[in-house]
């Protein structure tokens, strides 16, 4: 189909190389040829597009042979449009100026024309041929007749059509007839197969008999050889027993000698171990005695040094205490009695347990205030007021 584009009221057509374009404008032929490209106005243009490439037309139709048997014919006709102008004049190949689509169905008309023409010639040749001949030589006969008939058909050149090739694919009878035709050949093949089966069975029976005879001879030979084998096994068993007894005697003597050697080696090893253990015990006792002596001497030295250090420390502590006591006495000798009482109370308060609450009765408070008043009156002299308040 040609490509048509629109531009401001104009149309542009671009055709394919296998499409012949005919453009009439106002009744006059303006463009004619394959693969054209031109501008036109759709209102004044009449366009036709004729395909000029080779086209395949497959057809299937039924025919009847001279012995009134129905056969199906499958054929293919290859054709092309050799005269596009004649074809455009005889068939409607016109296309829509706006869309490029065929207004009619020209290819369907060509297909109908070719199919009916080919079918007419095929029916003519098959109607005078039997079914067996048609199945054997019918393909070539139908192909030649259809090709010659289409070539001699006057309407095809008048329409601008050229037949390129004719091919007949197959001629097939009805399924039931086809099965019936296959039956003799199938039966003959089956008979050949049955004969081959019987011959194979006869050969198999003969071979089985030969195999049975061979098996019997083999069994006889096996029985004879089995007897020889039993005798040989007895001889071998006796020889094996004798060899085993001799080997056991040699093994027992070797085992006894080995046991004696092992016992002697074990006794010697035990003696050596006892001697080594005694020497080790002596060495350990000597070492323990020497270690005890050294530890005793070191402990004595340590005790002496510890006693001397304790004596020196005791002398130093006693001297320090004596000096502190003397200093304490000197200090307290120079202080008056009230200060000593205050210090005694302070020291006593430091050593007393914690007191949560104190209850003072009016009598105690009155006596304490009287004492404090009397003390203040007696101590009112010069140089003594500070100590009395403390």
């Amino acid at each position: 189909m040609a490509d048509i584009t629109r531009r401001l009221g104009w149309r542009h057509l671009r055709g394919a190389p296998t499409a012949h374009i005919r453009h009439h404008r106002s009744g006059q032929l303006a463009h004619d040829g394959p693969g054209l490209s031109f501008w036109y106005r759709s209102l004044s243009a009449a366009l036709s597009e004729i395909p000029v490439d080779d086209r395949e037309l497959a057809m299937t139709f039924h025919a009847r042979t001279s012995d009134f048997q129905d056969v199906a014919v499958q054929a293919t006709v290859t054709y092309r449009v050799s005269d596009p102008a004649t074809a455009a004049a005889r068939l409607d190949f016109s296309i829509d100026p706006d869309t490029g689509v065929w207004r009619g169905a020209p290819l369907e008309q060509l297909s109908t024309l070719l199919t009916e023409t080919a079918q007419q010639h095929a029916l003519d040749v098959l109607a005078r041929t039997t079914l067996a001949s048609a199945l054997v030589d019918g393909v070539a006969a139908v192909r030649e007749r259809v090709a010659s008939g289409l070539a001699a058909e006057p309407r095809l050149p008048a329409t601008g059509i050229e037949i390129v090739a004719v091919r007949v694919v197959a001629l097939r009878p009805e399924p039931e007839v086809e099965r019936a035709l296959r039956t003799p050949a199938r039966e003959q093949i089956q008979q050949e197969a049955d004969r081959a089966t019987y011959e194979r069975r006869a050969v198999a029976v003969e071979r089985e008999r030969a195999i049975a005879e061979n098996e019997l001879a083999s069994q006889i030979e096996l029985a004879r050889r089995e007897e020889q084998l039993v005798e040989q096994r007895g001889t071998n068993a006796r020889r094996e027993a004798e060899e085993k007894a001799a080997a056991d005697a040699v093994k027992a003597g070797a085992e006894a000698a080995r046991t004696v050697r092992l016992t002697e080696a074990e006794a010697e090893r035990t003696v050596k171990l006892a001697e080594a253990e005694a020497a080790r015990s002596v060495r350990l006792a000597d070492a323990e005695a020497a270690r005890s002596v050294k530890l005793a001497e070191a402990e004595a030295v340590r005790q002496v040094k510890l006693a001397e250090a304790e004596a020196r420390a005791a002398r130093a502590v006693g001297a320090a205490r004596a000096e502190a006591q003397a200093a304490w006495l000197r200090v307290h000798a120079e202080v008056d009695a009230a200060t000593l009482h205050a210090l005694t109370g302070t020291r006593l308060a430091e050593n007393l347990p914690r007191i949560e609450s104190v209850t003072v009765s009016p009598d105690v408070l009155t006596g304490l205030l009287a004492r404090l008043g009397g003390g203040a009156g007696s101590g009112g002299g010069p140089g003594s007021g500070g100590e009395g308040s403390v």
Side-chain angles (χ1 to χ4, degrees), residues 97-116:
D98 293 326
T99 61
V101 179
W102 274 319
R103 297 180 183 275
L107 296 182
E108 294 182 2
Q109 295 178 9
L110 286 178
S111 300
T112 302
L113 173 61
L114 293 175
T115 302
E116 291 179 352

Side-chain angles (χ1 to χ4, degrees), residues 117-352:
T117 304
Q119 184 176 0
Q120 178 181 357
H121 293 291
L123 292 176
D124 188 18
V125 69
L126 289 175
R128 295 191 297 270
T129 307
T130 61
L131 178 62
S133 300
L135 294 179
V136 176
D137 302 323
V139 172
V142 171
R143 181 177 63 250
E144 293 176 358
R145 181 60 181 273
V146 171
S148 61
L150 291 177
E153 180 66 28
R155 186 179 176 184
L156 297 180
T159 314
I161 305 301
E162 179 184 354
I163 302 301
V164 178
V166 176
R167 298 187 303 275
V168 177
V169 181
L171 287 174
R172 299 182 64 88
E174 293 180 349
E176 295 81 2
V177 177
E178 187 174 7
R179 284 194 296 270
L181 293 175
R182 290 177 180 176
T183 301
R186 185 182 297 110
E187 291 295 334
Q188 184 177 359
I189 294 172
Q190 187 64 38
Q191 291 176 4
E192 295 293 335
D194 293 341
R195 183 165 54 254
T197 301
Y198 297 150
E199 292 177 356
R200 186 173 62 254
R201 288 181 179 178
V203 172
V205 170
E206 182 65 24
R207 290 180 179 177
E208 289 179 357
R209 184 183 61 78
I211 291 172
E213 292 178 355
N214 292 335
E215 288 180 352
L216 182 60
S218 299
Q219 291 178 0
I220 294 172
E221 182 65 21
L222 287 175
R224 185 177 61 79
R225 294 194 177 186
E226 186 175 359
E227 182 180 0
Q228 295 177 358
L229 179 62
V230 170
E231 294 178 357
Q232 187 64 35
R233 283 179 177 175
T235 304
N236 294 339
R238 287 193 300 272
R239 185 178 301 171
E240 184 179 358
E242 293 173 358
E243 294 292 337
K244 187 175 181 181
D248 290 341
V250 174
K251 183 178 180 180
E255 187 67 25
R258 177 175 173 274
T259 303
V260 171
R261 288 196 301 271
L262 288 177
T263 304
E264 293 176 354
E266 185 66 23
E268 185 178 356
R269 176 176 172 274
T270 304
V271 171
K272 290 181 179 180
L273 288 176
E275 292 176 353
E277 185 66 25
R280 177 175 172 276
S281 299
V282 171
R283 288 195 300 270
L284 289 176
D286 295 341
E288 185 66 24
R291 178 174 173 275
S292 299
V293 170
K294 290 180 179 180
L295 289 176
E297 292 176 354
E299 183 65 22
V301 173
R302 189 181 71 82
Q303 292 293 337
V304 170
K305 290 182 179 180
L306 183 59
E308 292 176 354
E310 289 179 353
R312 287 195 299 271
R315 285 196 298 272
V317 170
R321 286 181 178 176
E323 185 178 354
Q325 188 70 23
W328 186 80
L329 291 176
R330 285 195 303 271
V331 171
H332 284 78
E334 297 175 358
V335 179
D336 56 0
T339 301
L340 292 176
H341 291 164
L343 290 174
T344 303
T346 301
R347 184 65 58 83
L348 180 62
E350 291 177 355
N351 295 325
L352 286 176

